[in-house]
Amino acid sequence: DSGDYQLRISDFGILENLMLMPQERQAPAPGEVEIAVRAVGLNFRDVLNALGMLKEFTAQMGIERAEEIPFGGECSGVVVAVGEGVDRLQVGDEVMAVQAIGCLASTVRVRQEFVIAKPSSLSFAAAATVPTAFLTAYYGLMKQAKLQAGDRILIHSAAGGVGQAAVQLAQSAGATVWGTASPPKWEFLTRMGVERVMNSRTLDFKEDIMTATDGRGVDVVLNSLNGEFIPASLDVVTSGGRFVEIGKIGIWDAEQVEQKRDDIEYLPFDLLDLSLADPNLTQEWLSELMAQFEAGQLNALPYQAFELADAVEAFRFMAQAKHRGKVVIEMPVQHEALVKPDASYLITGGLGALGLRVAEWLAERGAKHLVLTSRRGLTERAEAAIAPLTEIAEVKVVAADVANPADVEQMLSEMASELPPLKRVIHAAGVLDDGVLQQQSWERFEQVMAPKVAGTWNLHQGTRELSLDFFACFSSVASLLGAPGQGNYAAANGFMDGLAEYRRGQGLPGLSINWGPWSTGGMAATLSDRDHLRWDAQGIELLTPDRGLQAFDRLLDRNGQVGVLPVNWNRFLAQFPRNADLLFLERFAAEAAPEPAQKSALLEQLECAGEGDRLTMVVAHVREQLARVLGLASPEGIGTRDRLFDLGLDSLMAVELKNRMESSFGCTLRPTLMFDYPTIEALAQYLATEVLPPPVNSAEDSDSEIAAIAEPESAAPEWAIAADDDLAALMATLESISDADLQLQLRSDRRRAWVPQRSVPQRNGAPSL
């Protein structure tokens, strides 16, 4: 397995459908270069494609299925191969590229005209903010509108990527810059030097501009808004002015604009079409822009960076318009480059079965200087175990107790004088001493905590001044899930987890891996048959060495805390009560894969439910899905009568919520659904009564409901026997309760509340995000 991958989506509409899929590398064609991608600038086109809002455009390119959609259009990285006829670039060049279609992948092939050397002053992440935003603004303002000193320009969405690039270019040209943005971003634009900032959510900008200019208007508008904003923006262009259109959805054609304003110049364009029509022009414009970057006249955009594993969050962050500038996805560095022959590697617990496997794995990938520590030092058995390893690498075995600061100091001092610079620390030392808390003593806690707590801290202190690439702690899933009789071990590993985050906060590398049980080596060597049966009953599989090292390979450039645990989520979650609060586990299981395409458990439950229960179930489901779209940890606090758009839902999120409803209920819903039914109560009522088919047992259910109402209850509910003078207060209380909530309350003592069951299908072996 080459490890090459690309980001794809299994089905339109739901961002959790994004997944990594294998990619087959191909040699670059004549005139192309292959780039190992280091960072990708996410664009709105990517989000619109994921939500299925550009289907007619992709269909024109012959793309019909969701999984064929390529994500990513601009990136930075390193050239790893060149095709015939390439004369501008060579292998090893650090570059950035535009029109790098499908660059949300390990590698991408791009025409050399769309690639240019990365300024040395820019990091890979910063460089990924530049190509599309600045090229779009540069062509629109300088080549199309021919912006000049003294012009007054209105830049819509000025806090976005293209907007901020346009602000810089307009200021550099000597123009007076006005802009629109949502109110939380006004102060930011003011600090950028935008002279007048107005609201991008209302049409008030029209009156503001015409009043401020005594009815004259602005010379240039850079527009990215649609709907009613287009005619309002046309109204503020002065006679003879220029209207530059960079929008993609709902834009006007030339005839519509001419009917309203035949005295202005209308300049719509699409950068992709322009680049493909004349690639050499793109290279010319990139060169002109890079000259300004090298001269310090332009700066990269501010950005919010996400790791590739958090791609879903990155897409949602952009869809919710939370960003200022750009959203960047940082890609894992090719691991071959991370294992360096001219560096030293320290593995504590290195003579244990797991430590030795990691050492062999590093040596096979090119590591030439390995230091393995053990409290007992080199034994005959250990010497025989490392003999094959010494044939391909220099192996130094040190007898040291990492819990002893003096031992760590002496070991690091000897390494500094005898070996190449230390670049990677892998702390795999550990001790088990299981027992229930009543049987524990401070001595037993100390024995377990010494290597995990004192050892980790000593290694941190001893290496914090070194230029490390990697500091990995081999923690345990015990600190995430707990384990019977391992209170001391869970606490010790919890310290390692916390120290990894502490190091990140100090700008140092720090990774804590919460390993599940390994099938061989590690703490698995102490597992009894009973332990194995217990893990299996819980749905937890043992990590084989191959699978464990494959996971480790993917973590070589990561920081933070990562759990590695093969688990059958259906079996694992089944051991908990159906209404249990599973904290992060339920969310993790839900996000591990999209909902199945076949009939869901929800629909099966709804088919057999009575009308009242159906409504209650639909309300609960809509609240849950709304919370996910809004990025909330739970639906708690969302009222059934709260207006959706008052809760923070915007038009793009409304599209995703509609898509989720279509997926849940196996139907097609109209685009205006959230506007027509703007509360959970109204939406659920519509779905339950107008969309869902009648219950399969509707007749029997109706009879049972009637019987239940006719049969007297053994005890009347408290509110039914209220005194006459309390009746008014009672009625007021009932009026404030929604129908759905009231039905849930009335049935709570007769039926068990329905809890949706999650099903997490496999993704055909594709790695999960």
Side-chain angles (χ1 to χ4, degrees):
D1 182 7
S2 66
D4 293 302
Y5 54 83
Q6 55 190 339
L7 186 72
R8 298 284 183 169
I9 193 164
S10 60
D11 197 8
F12 291 116
I14 298 178
L15 296 181
E16 277 85 352
N17 289 345
L18 290 165
M19 65 175 67
L20 294 179
M21 298 179 63
Q23 172 179 257
E24 183 179 350
R25 288 178 66 178
Q26 297 180 356
E32 287 185 341
V33 299
E34 183 184 29
I35 300 171
V37 182
R38 297 290 296 274
V40 177
L42 201 61
N43 290 304
F44 234 101
R45 185 191 292 264
D46 296 312
V47 177
L48 296 177
N49 267 325
L51 293 176
M53 299 178 69
L54 297 179
K55 290 181 183 178
E56 60 181 86
F57 296 102
T58 54
Q60 293 173 7
M61 297 187 295
I63 298 176
E64 299 289 348
R65 297 185 301 164
E67 59 265 30
E68 297 174 342
I69 295 291
F71 291 105
E74 61 180 328
C75 67
S76 62
V78 179
V79 175
V80 292
V82 297
E84 183 182 349
V86 173
D87 54 5
R88 295 171 176 165
L89 301 159
Q90 58 185 0
V91 173
D93 285 351
E94 295 185 349
V95 297
M96 51 192 190
V98 69
Q99 311 311 354
I101 307 303
C103 62
L104 262 167
S106 53
T107 61
V108 65
R109 292 177 295 121
V110 191
R111 292 185 60 156
Q112 67 167 332
E113 294 90 346
F114 300 149
V115 182
I116 197 161
K118 176 180 73 68
S120 58
S121 60
L122 299 183
S123 67
F124 284 107
T129 72
V130 172
T132 299
F134 277 90
L135 270 178
T136 301
Y138 186 69
Y139 178 78
L141 298 187
M142 313 312 294
K143 302 299 182 180
Q144 289 275 79
K146 302 202 170 33
L147 191 68
Q148 299 176 1
D151 280 344
R152 184 182 288 120
I153 179 173
L154 169 65
I155 301 173
H156 278 309
S157 300
V162 176
Q164 286 191 47
V167 169
Q168 289 192 48
L169 288 165
Q171 289 173 335
S172 180
T176 299
V177 181
W178 293 356
T180 66
S182 58
K185 300 175 183 178
W186 288 3
E187 182 181 353
F188 169 72
L189 288 178
T190 300
R191 292 199 306 269
M192 279 193 70
V194 178
E195 298 188 19
R196 182 180 292 270
V197 183
M198 294 156 285
N199 200 332
S200 61
R201 304 285 176 87
T202 72
L203 300 180
D204 294 345
F205 70 88
K206 175 180 173 180
E207 183 178 349
D208 292 345
I209 290 174
M210 300 311 287
T211 300
T213 61
D214 295 325
R216 180 178 177 273
V218 298
D219 301 291
V220 177
V221 169
L222 180 64
N223 183 59
S224 55
L225 305 178
N226 58 21
E228 59 187 353
F229 287 90
I230 293 179
S233 300
L234 288 168
D235 285 339
V236 302
V237 182
T238 189
S239 181
R242 292 88 79 198
F243 188 93
V244 182
E245 176 63 83
I246 62 172
K248 298 291 181 289
I249 296 178
I251 67 173
W252 284 18
D253 58 33
E255 184 178 352
Q256 287 176 288
V257 174
E258 187 175 2
Q259 288 177 356
K260 182 173 179 61
R261 291 296 305 270
D262 60 1
D263 61 332
I264 67 172
E265 193 174 0
Y266 181 49
L267 304 168
F269 70 94
D270 184 280
L271 188 63
L272 176 60
D273 294 340
L274 289 168
S275 298
L276 295 177
D278 192 344
N280 287 319
L281 274 179
T282 302
Q283 179 66 211
E284 178 183 323
W285 300 333
L286 280 172
S287 298
E288 292 170 0
L289 280 169
M290 289 309 104
Q292 295 185 57
F293 274 94
E294 295 287 4
Q297 298 169 349
L298 297 175
N299 299 301
L301 302 177
Y303 60 89
Q304 176 74 37
F306 292 82
E307 293 184 347
L308 178 62
D310 300 321
V312 173
E313 286 74 14
F315 273 68
R316 175 158 292 118
F317 191 78
M318 172 163 270
Q320 293 173 348
K322 292 182 178 179
H323 59 294
R324 297 177 182 177
K326 291 285 289 185
V327 173
V328 171
I329 296 180
E330 295 183 297
M331 310 296 284
V333 180
Q334 293 297 312
H335 300 327
E336 291 79 2
L338 295 177
V339 179
K340 304 170 183 176
D342 58 347
S344 295
Y345 298 82
L346 171 63
I347 305 173
T348 71
L351 296 185
L354 184 54
L356 282 172
R357 289 303 300 265
V358 173
E360 292 170 2
W361 182 88
L362 286 170
E364 289 169 358
R365 278 153 183 78
K368 297 299 182 185
H369 306 279
L370 301 171
V371 178
L372 313 181
T373 74
S374 169
R375 285 182 298 168
R376 292 184 295 272
L378 188 61
T379 62
E380 289 186 9
R381 181 176 180 181
E383 187 173 9
I386 66 171
L389 192 58
T390 58
E391 296 179 5
I392 56 175
E394 177 187 356
V395 181
K396 180 180 177 66
V397 176
V398 178
D401 182 358
V402 291
N404 185 331
D407 281 8
V408 173
E409 182 179 359
Q410 180 179 349
M411 173 184 65
L412 293 175
S413 176
E414 291 177 358
M415 290 178 62
S417 62
E418 301 173 7
L419 296 171
L422 176 62
K423 286 298 182 182
R424 292 183 175 267
V425 173
I426 299 164
H427 183 28
V431 173
L432 278 179
D433 189 2
D434 291 355
V436 295
L437 287 178
Q438 293 94 325
Q439 299 172 346
Q440 287 288 346
S441 64
W442 180 242
E443 289 73 22
R444 296 181 71 181
F445 260 88
E446 276 190 319
Q447 181 181 359
V448 173
M449 287 193 165
K452 298 281 187 177
V453 177
T456 309
W457 182 255
N458 292 337
L459 290 168
H460 159 68
Q461 290 283 80
T463 62
R464 62 181 179 175
E465 301 299 328
L466 303 180
S467 180
L468 294 181
D469 293 335
F470 190 64
F471 186 102
C473 300
F474 276 23
S475 180
S476 167
V477 73
S479 67
L480 287 180
L481 305 181
Q486 291 193 335
N488 51 3
Y489 192 62
N493 284 288
F495 178 86
M496 301 178 89
D497 301 338
L499 185 67
E501 290 296 330
Y502 175 71
R503 285 180 60 88
R504 288 185 69 192
Q506 293 193 325
L508 301 172
L511 170 67
S512 188
I513 307 174
N514 299 107
W515 291 112
W518 288 62
S519 60
T520 58
M523 301 304 173
T526 66
L527 292 177
S528 65
D529 291 341
R530 186 174 181 180
D531 291 323
H532 285 275
L533 290 173
R534 177 171 58 84
W535 286 115
D536 184 66
Q538 292 178 350
I540 295 175
E541 304 171 16
L542 299 184
L543 270 169
T544 64
D546 287 344
R547 292 184 70 186
L549 291 173
Q550 184 181 30
F552 185 63
D553 176 64
R554 295 177 59 192
L555 297 173
L556 278 177
D557 57 352
R558 293 286 299 273
N559 289 300
Q561 182 180 359
V562 179
V564 180
L565 176 70
V567 58
N568 180 320
W569 284 109
N570 287 330
R571 190 187 304 175
F572 184 83
L573 294 175
Q575 66 187 298
F576 297 95
R578 299 181 76 185
N579 60 348
D581 181 4
L582 300 179
L583 299 175
F584 76 95
L585 291 177
E586 184 172 356
R587 178 182 178 190
F588 180 83
E591 292 180 353
E595 297 294 335
Q598 62 270 23
K599 182 184 292 185
S600 64
L602 172 63
L603 280 179
E604 293 178 354
Q605 294 271 0
L606 288 169
E607 285 180 353
C608 301
E611 291 185 9
D613 283 341
R614 279 158 63 93
L615 179 59
T616 300
M617 293 159 64
V618 172
V619 166
H621 183 71
V622 172
R623 290 181 73 217
E624 181 184 3
Q625 298 304 311
L626 175 62
R628 289 199 203 174
V629 171
L630 293 174
L632 303 178
S634 78
E636 184 178 354
I638 299 177
T640 58
R641 289 185 175 179
D642 292 341
R643 296 184 66 84
L644 301 177
F645 290 92
D646 291 342
L647 293 169
L649 197 76
D650 62 20
S651 56
L652 274 183
M653 286 188 273
V655 171
E656 184 180 358
L657 183 58
K658 177 186 77 72
N659 292 334
R660 286 177 176 273
M661 295 301 101
E662 290 178 338
S663 176
S664 298
F665 299 113
C667 63
T668 300
L669 300 169
R670 55 179 178 268
T672 59
L673 182 69
M674 307 308 157
F675 299 92
D676 298 336
Y677 301 96
T679 67
I680 291 177
E681 182 182 53
L683 179 58
Q685 183 71 38
Y686 167 76
L687 292 170
T689 58
E690 303 294 332
V691 174
L692 291 173
V696 295
N697 58 347
S698 57
E700 294 86 344
D701 198 77
S702 298
D703 291 342
S704 64
E705 289 293 323
I706 293 171
I709 293 172
E711 182 179 346
E713 299 283 343
S714 59
E718 291 182 9
W719 57 265
I721 56 175
D724 290 343
D725 57 350
D726 292 330
L727 187 57
L730 171 64
M731 294 305 296
T733 300
L734 291 177
E735 283 293 326
S736 68
I737 303 175
S738 71
D739 293 341
D741 288 340
L742 184 59
Q743 289 164 353
L744 176 63
Q745 182 65 32
L746 290 175
R747 289 169 171 77
S748 62
D749 63 335
R750 291 193 290 124
R751 297 194 178 190
R752 186 173 182 175
W754 176 81
V755 179
Q757 299 184 36
R758 305 187 187 281
S759 178
V760 184
Q762 299 296 315
R763 292 181 165 183
N764 299 322
S768 170
L769 294 177

Short mmCIF file of all heavy atoms in Angstrom, two decimals, residues 124 144 348 366 491 535 717:
data_model
loop_
_atom_site.label_atom_id
_atom_site.label_comp_id
_atom_site.label_asym_id
_atom_site.label_seq_id
_atom_site.Cartn_x
_atom_site.Cartn_y
_atom_site.Cartn_z
N PHE A 124 3.93 26.85 4.29
CA PHE A 124 3.07 26.15 3.35
C PHE A 124 1.61 26.51 3.58
O PHE A 124 0.84 26.70 2.63
CB PHE A 124 3.27 24.63 3.46
CG PHE A 124 4.53 24.14 2.82
CD1 PHE A 124 5.60 23.72 3.59
CD2 PHE A 124 4.64 24.10 1.43
CE1 PHE A 124 6.77 23.26 2.99
CE2 PHE A 124 5.81 23.64 0.83
CZ PHE A 124 6.88 23.22 1.62
N GLN A 144 -9.75 43.66 -15.32
CA GLN A 144 -11.08 43.92 -15.83
C GLN A 144 -11.53 45.35 -15.53
O GLN A 144 -11.82 46.13 -16.44
CB GLN A 144 -12.08 42.93 -15.20
CG GLN A 144 -11.94 41.50 -15.69
CD GLN A 144 -12.71 41.28 -16.99
OE1 GLN A 144 -12.24 41.66 -18.07
NE2 GLN A 144 -13.88 40.68 -16.88
N THR A 348 12.02 4.55 24.72
CA THR A 348 12.05 4.04 26.08
C THR A 348 11.21 2.77 26.15
O THR A 348 10.24 2.62 25.40
CB THR A 348 11.52 5.07 27.07
OG1 THR A 348 10.11 5.22 26.90
CG2 THR A 348 12.19 6.43 26.88
N GLY A 366 14.47 3.54 7.21
CA GLY A 366 15.65 4.36 6.97
C GLY A 366 16.33 4.94 8.19
O GLY A 366 17.36 5.61 8.07
N ALA A 491 -4.98 6.49 35.57
CA ALA A 491 -4.54 7.80 36.04
C ALA A 491 -3.16 8.14 35.48
O ALA A 491 -2.90 9.28 35.05
CB ALA A 491 -4.52 7.83 37.56
N TRP A 535 -12.89 -8.35 26.40
CA TRP A 535 -12.72 -7.38 25.32
C TRP A 535 -13.63 -7.72 24.14
O TRP A 535 -14.30 -6.86 23.57
CB TRP A 535 -11.26 -7.36 24.84
CG TRP A 535 -10.28 -6.70 25.74
CD1 TRP A 535 -9.23 -7.29 26.38
CD2 TRP A 535 -10.23 -5.33 26.10
NE1 TRP A 535 -8.53 -6.38 27.13
CE2 TRP A 535 -9.12 -5.15 26.97
CE3 TRP A 535 -11.01 -4.22 25.80
CZ2 TRP A 535 -8.78 -3.93 27.53
CZ3 TRP A 535 -10.68 -2.99 26.35
CH2 TRP A 535 -9.59 -2.85 27.21
N PRO A 717 -53.68 12.26 36.67
CA PRO A 717 -52.50 13.12 36.80
C PRO A 717 -52.81 14.35 37.65
O PRO A 717 -53.94 14.79 37.73
CB PRO A 717 -52.19 13.50 35.35
CG PRO A 717 -53.45 13.27 34.61
CD PRO A 717 -54.14 12.16 35.29
#
